[in-house]
Amino acid sequence: MNIDIDLDIAREEFLKYTKRFDLKNENIKRKQIHSLRVMQISEQIANSLGLNCEQIKVATLIGLLHDIARFEQYTQFNTFNDLQSFDHGDYALKILDEDIRKYVISDKYDDLIKIAIKNHNKYKIDDNLNEEELLYSKIIRDADKIDIFYEAVEMFWSDLEEQIGNSKISKDIETQFRNKTQIKRRKNSSNIHTVDNVISVIAFIYDINFEESFKILVKNDYINKILDRFDFKDEETKYKINEIRKVSNIYINEKVRRK
């Protein structure tokens, strides 16, 4: 029986850490709850891959800790935008260099945990990872994105629906989506108030790795639920959104093997 990772203790320590910050602030609280959901999703994906108990615990712990830097980020800069503050994947390593023993007894997992967390938010995974590092990086990237889809249904754009419905898709965003790639964020981009931001979330499907992850997307009907939030006024935009909806759902369903 592995005793190096006690997930209950790790969760308690994480909650204790987040209490240092203003949890009355809805954005900070949201990141706390997001981390707990990603912890569960990481465990679900790891289980689906047939990993052993120890491996599942490592993946689950990474899910818990992946956004550990978000609390400091928002407190310092009042934003979760890495381009306007610091890279929260990189900054997490500074925090874990000091605090990781609070979450895991042994140091045998340290490098693996840090590498996966460092890579969870990058546009693409580092090319130089070994097979194990790549596996855990993919698990956390999937789990994080799946919960972002959930937040895109339940939380994002709560007071921007009309403004987004009146906007149009920019050519650059449309081209990137048609190329079936994630949307590359620009430092000076201000697309949060436009449909471009919505399409940027939808395009996460092109960086999902595991069948279980696609099954979660299908089960929760995230693509349709996100797009159904908006009443797009421009006819050309309506047409493009319908095409994006169709392409996205076909892509996701093709990734789920039919037994």
Side-chain angles (χ1 to χ4, degrees):
M1 181 178 178
N2 180 273
I3 60 171
D4 288 328
I5 300 177
D6 186 319
L7 293 173
D8 290 332
I9 291 176
R11 187 177 186 275
E12 288 176 11
E13 288 294 335
F14 172 78
L15 293 174
K16 189 185 302 182
Y17 174 79
T18 60
K19 285 180 181 177
R20 301 182 193 178
F21 303 92
D22 181 14
L23 292 173
K24 293 180 180 179
N25 183 297
E26 63 180 2
N27 291 306
I28 294 177
K29 183 65 177 179
R30 178 168 63 84
K31 282 302 176 185
Q32 182 197 58
I33 303 303
H34 164 74
S35 298
L36 297 176
R37 286 195 303 263
V38 172
M39 180 186 187
Q40 294 176 328
I41 299 167
S42 297
E43 182 178 31
Q44 180 178 346
I45 295 171
N47 267 300
S48 77
L49 296 172
L51 303 184
N52 64 39
C53 182
E54 182 174 339
Q55 292 171 318
I56 292 170
K57 285 185 176 182
V58 173
T60 306
L61 182 62
I62 292 168
L64 175 67
L65 300 178
H66 79 287
D67 265 357
I68 195 74
R70 286 298 204 184
F71 306 96
E72 191 68 46
Q73 181 184 44
Y74 197 86
T75 299
Q76 286 189 38
F77 296 96
N78 199 40
T79 184
F80 291 127
N81 188 324
D82 286 7
L83 297 176
Q84 295 174 6
S85 53
F86 55 64
D87 184 302
H88 74 279
D90 293 345
Y91 197 90
L93 273 58
K94 297 180 180 180
I95 296 172
L96 293 176
D97 282 342
E98 298 179 3
D99 292 348
I100 198 167
R101 290 286 75 75
K102 295 178 181 178
Y103 303 103
V104 55
I105 295 172
S106 170
D107 64 359
K108 65 186 283 191
Y109 313 104
D110 287 8
D111 289 344
L112 186 58
I113 291 168
K114 291 176 184 177
I115 287 170
I117 290 175
K118 178 181 174 65
N119 278 276
H120 91 271
N121 66 320
K122 303 300 186 285
Y123 181 73
K124 64 185 290 292
I125 298 175
D126 188 335
D127 292 329
N128 298 315
L129 302 192
N130 63 39
E131 185 176 348
E132 185 179 41
E133 294 164 347
L134 184 61
L135 172 65
Y136 287 99
S137 295
K138 286 182 175 180
I139 291 173
I140 184 54
R141 286 168 72 91
D142 274 25
D144 189 31
K145 287 181 174 66
I146 287 168
D147 198 64
I148 291 172
F149 277 109
Y150 166 81
E151 292 188 326
V153 173
E154 300 293 337
M155 302 173 195
F156 295 168
W157 315 300
S158 59
D159 56 350
L160 295 173
E161 290 179 348
E162 183 176 357
Q163 188 170 346
I164 289 172
N166 288 323
S167 65
K168 297 181 181 182
I169 303 172
S170 69
K171 187 64 178 176
D172 177 50
I173 298 297
E174 182 183 357
T175 299
Q176 290 186 67
F177 187 88
R178 289 184 182 279
N179 289 337
K180 295 188 175 181
T181 63
Q182 287 195 96
I183 305 301
K184 190 83 169 178
R185 295 180 181 179
R186 313 297 183 190
K187 186 164 187 176
N188 297 321
S189 173
S190 58
N191 70 356
I192 191 170
H193 302 111
T194 73
V195 65
D196 286 353
N197 190 249
V198 179
I199 304 308
S200 295
V201 172
I202 300 292
F204 279 164
I205 62 174
Y206 298 126
D207 191 50
I208 297 292
N209 298 282
F210 300 110
E211 182 183 2
E212 183 68 16
S213 305
F214 286 107
K215 285 181 176 179
I216 295 171
L217 296 181
V218 171
K219 180 181 178 180
N220 290 282
D221 197 25
Y222 281 141
I223 301 301
N224 293 322
K225 286 179 179 177
I226 292 169
L227 294 178
D228 285 347
R229 291 183 58 187
F230 307 99
D231 180 18
F232 295 103
K233 304 300 184 184
D234 177 71
E235 289 301 320
E236 184 180 9
T237 301
K238 280 185 183 179
Y239 175 80
K240 290 178 179 179
I241 288 295
N242 285 333
E243 287 298 303
I244 286 169
R245 184 195 299 267
K246 185 189 305 181
V247 168
S248 299
N249 283 313
I250 290 172
Y251 180 85
I252 291 170
N253 280 282
E254 285 179 345
K255 295 293 184 177
V256 177
R257 293 195 297 269
R258 302 300 180 187
K259 301 297 184 183

